[in-house]
Amino acid sequence: MPSPALDELIHASVAGVGGSERPGQVQMAHAVEASTKSGEHLLVQAGTGTGKSLAYLVPAIAHAQAQGRPSVVATATLALQAQIVDRDLPRIASALQPLLDRRPTYALVKGRRNYVCKHKLAGGYPEEEGLFSVGDVDAAAGKLGQEVVRLREWAQETESGDRDELVPGVSERAWRQVSVSAQECLGNKCPMVGECFVEEARAAAKDVDIVVTNHAFMAIDAFEGRQMLPEHDLLVVDEAHELVDRVTSTVTDEMSSGMINGAAKRVGRMAQTDALTDAGEGLEQTMQGLTEGRLMGLPDALADALAHVRDCARDLQSELKPSSAAENDAGRQVARAAVDEIFDHAERILEQRELDVTWLSQDQRRGQSLRVAPMSVAMLLRDKLFGDRTIVLTSATLELGGSFDAVAGQLGLRGEGGPAYQGLDVGSPFDYPQQAMAYVAQHLPAPGRDGMAPQTMDEIEALIRAAGGRTLGLFSSRRAAEAAAEEMRHRFGDDIPVLCQGDDQLPTLVREFASDAATCLFGTMSLWQGVDVPGSACQLVIVDRIPFPRPDDPLASARSQAIAKMGGNGFMAVSATHAALRLAQGAGRLVRRSSDRGVVAFLDSRMMTARYAGFLQRSLPPFWPTTDRTLVLKALGRLDQTAAPIVGVEAPALRGLAGTRADHPPTEVPTPGAAWNDEADEELRDGADMGLTLAEVADHLEMSPEDVAARADQLQISLES
């Protein structure tokens, strides 16, 4: 029986998800299919409303079935992973089953920490420090003891061992009692490898059509050659505008005295750790005499201190080699993994690789630490990711300044020896010039360092009053968002409620904003991307200033300087490109459906006057441009008077063991974007492990307790009040 044509598969899938075919969606699907046949990489810019997940999932399924091996989809956020696995794929699979003679299959592949370790459950690993065994739980006061008991009981019943199936969840401290990291795992030497949840999940993934994972897991698999993902020749990277930052975070290393002390504690009585502890103290004292920021070279004293740490770690590595099969291999593996990390990070910093950037970071809670990251991951991506598979990268914001060149360069696709690729913009089904205005308040003074000018506050008030509320305010800093919120609350009183990021958990704030036409919501980067509030609740988006990276950002400044040395324009390649991407993402919050109308107001006159203004403007959706304040105020007033009822907001769907529960189907809800990066998440976990309070962690992260509590809930981390 011949395989169905792609158009037939698309038609069935669109009907299955209850949608309608869109030209851009069909064009994108055919471009993906063409790439699978030619082997040429593809960059696809697909605007909001295109339905791009269906456009790549359908040809990816067809390719997987034809080749007899999975296609891999990698996303940046948990929200998109959930959408694909819980909503898109089940519907597409049901729709395609009659045409393909079998139901397409799929799996979500995660890191080892997300699964229960049976060997650890059986006592094969030492207890995590500060916790207790099940036998001690009766003596343990509070929530933690109850969580440990519940975890162990659940672990005897679960068929997958997947943490996400444990509802409600448990704290990170409790979860660590039953899980191990990839470095701590015994691998094939584990006596229970034959019944390992992780191995079973990865074995099952080899036989499915679609494997869904995240950018970081995909990067580790490619860079370190661990073969955690099944063999594949098609990789789709969604939210591809995030890929460079996510990969950079994955290959960033850190060194601090706290890490050294933690490694020494894990070694415990297996070896003498006094020398390593002393070396850590010496490193800390040396760092205290240095200035925070980028290090253009390692001072002699710092190099000596690091070398001492490295040498002590090397000595411990030798001592921790098992001398007999009877020794506690698991305990040694945990200790060895911690010591290996110290050795590797110290060695990397000392090497002073040509493309590495090293800087000293000051932290109120953790003290000073050394960090090292590659100036660019372009060559790493070219060599490790693009070499032996076809890659489709897609996002609503890949074409910056009217060209794919900037993003392609960051990904390693440009320059001598770069792999062949095609760039395609399939547009959006929305009529942007008719649906929205892009207003630049050219009469305002350029933003300064001393906070918002009174004229800017007056402009915000006038715009919001004309809009009748209905405003999402995107600010470049928390201080600016809070100052504007406080001032507007004073001016509006009870007439127009103003919410500000930090007042409550972000999902709660977004739902409240979307549920009341008069309400406004102000916030920072977490609102610039990923927030989806369709309908008349959001008819005005305010952007306070161009979101350039901070001048003292070590990586951004290093990249800019390197490009300038090669004769390029460092500002345009780094700062302007960063700003263009954020502006495009922020402006994209306004029009989410074909019926949406509104204004994006830029309160930074440089959007019109600066030499780079044209580049930024070309990066935005093609809204109708204007600097006419009177025209905009009148348009907002008309939109307020004729606005349709706001879209109802419901709680997110409940999940069962196999995805979304049938009695609670997915609903259209606003989804807050990811304000947290991997580094902040790790600091949150460290704070919980150290027993810090919510207030202490929030102070360290310079975030509100509400935001920290919300993220802790998402990660199932417990913090003391």
Side-chain angles (χ1 to χ4, degrees), residues 257 278-290 368:
S257 60
D278 291 344
E281 292 176 355
L283 177 63
E284 183 177 24
Q285 292 175 2
T286 302
M287 288 192 296
Q288 288 175 352
L290 300 175
Q368 288 184 309

Side-chain angles (χ1 to χ4, degrees), residues 356-378:
D356 269 354
V357 177
T358 304
W359 70 97
L360 191 68
S361 177
Q362 176 65 48
D363 187 284
Q364 292 181 354
R365 174 174 62 88
R366 302 169 68 187
Q368 288 184 309
S369 63
L370 281 171
R371 293 182 178 173
V372 58
M375 184 184 303
S376 169
V377 294

Side-chain angles (χ1 to χ4, degrees), residues 521-546:
L521 174 60
F522 291 0
T524 55
M525 288 309 300
S526 56
L527 298 180
W528 283 69
Q529 51 187 338
V531 172
D532 187 4
V533 183
S536 61
C538 181
Q539 295 190 158
L540 171 63
V541 173
I542 292 176
V543 176
D544 73 327
R545 64 191 299 163
I546 299 171

Side-chain angles (χ1 to χ4, degrees), residues 136-356:
D136 300 325
V137 76
D138 290 337
K143 178 182 177 182
L144 185 59
Q146 298 171 2
E147 286 184 327
V148 172
V149 169
R150 178 168 160 261
L151 245 182
R152 292 180 179 269
E153 291 174 347
W154 169 80
Q156 302 304 315
E157 303 170 356
T158 177
E159 295 182 2
S160 70
D162 186 342
R163 181 176 183 174
D164 282 350
E165 293 183 3
L166 179 64
V167 179
V170 296
S171 67
E172 181 70 11
R173 293 184 70 198
W175 181 255
R176 288 193 180 186
Q177 284 290 282
V178 298
S179 67
V180 297
S181 67
Q183 292 75 23
E184 295 167 346
C185 175
L186 295 176
N188 291 331
K189 297 179 181 179
C190 178
M192 304 186 74
V193 66
E195 47 192 299
C196 174
F197 285 127
V198 176
E199 298 305 321
E200 290 176 353
R202 293 178 183 173
K206 295 178 181 179
D207 298 322
V208 302
D209 296 305
I210 300 292
V211 173
V212 181
T213 187
N214 60 56
H215 289 182
F217 191 91
M218 172 203 69
I220 293 172
D221 180 73
F223 299 163
E224 300 183 11
R226 294 187 191 173
Q227 297 181 330
M228 300 178 293
L229 290 171
E231 187 176 350
H232 60 280
D233 55 21
L234 174 62
L235 168 64
V236 178
V237 181
D238 204 340
E239 301 176 306
H241 63 278
E242 292 276 0
L243 181 60
V244 168
D245 286 345
R246 300 285 173 144
V247 169
T248 301
S249 177
T250 300
V251 293
T252 297
D253 290 335
E254 181 181 3
M255 174 66 67
S256 68
S257 60
M259 289 177 57
I260 296 170
N261 290 333
K265 290 179 181 178
R266 284 177 171 80
V267 173
R269 300 178 181 177
M270 286 178 274
Q272 179 56 252
T273 61
D274 289 349
L276 180 63
T277 302
D278 291 344
E281 292 176 355
L283 177 63
E284 183 177 24
Q285 292 175 2
T286 302
M287 288 192 296
Q288 288 175 352
L290 300 175
T291 303
E292 183 178 14
R294 184 184 177 192
L295 300 175
M296 300 307 294
L298 288 183
D300 291 341
L302 181 60
D304 290 342
L306 275 172
H308 188 33
V309 169
R310 178 201 58 194
D311 294 343
C312 291
R314 181 193 289 125
D315 292 341
L316 281 176
Q317 286 175 323
S318 299
E319 290 189 58
L320 290 172
K321 291 181 179 178
S323 58
S324 71
E327 291 194 49
N328 185 345
D329 287 345
R332 284 184 176 270
Q333 185 74 15
V334 171
R336 179 68 182 259
V339 173
D340 285 349
E341 183 179 43
I342 297 299
F343 176 84
D344 292 342
H345 292 190
E347 180 77 358
R348 177 182 175 183
I349 296 172
L350 284 166
E351 285 178 5
Q352 300 187 67
R353 302 172 188 171
E354 183 179 359
L355 289 180
D356 269 354

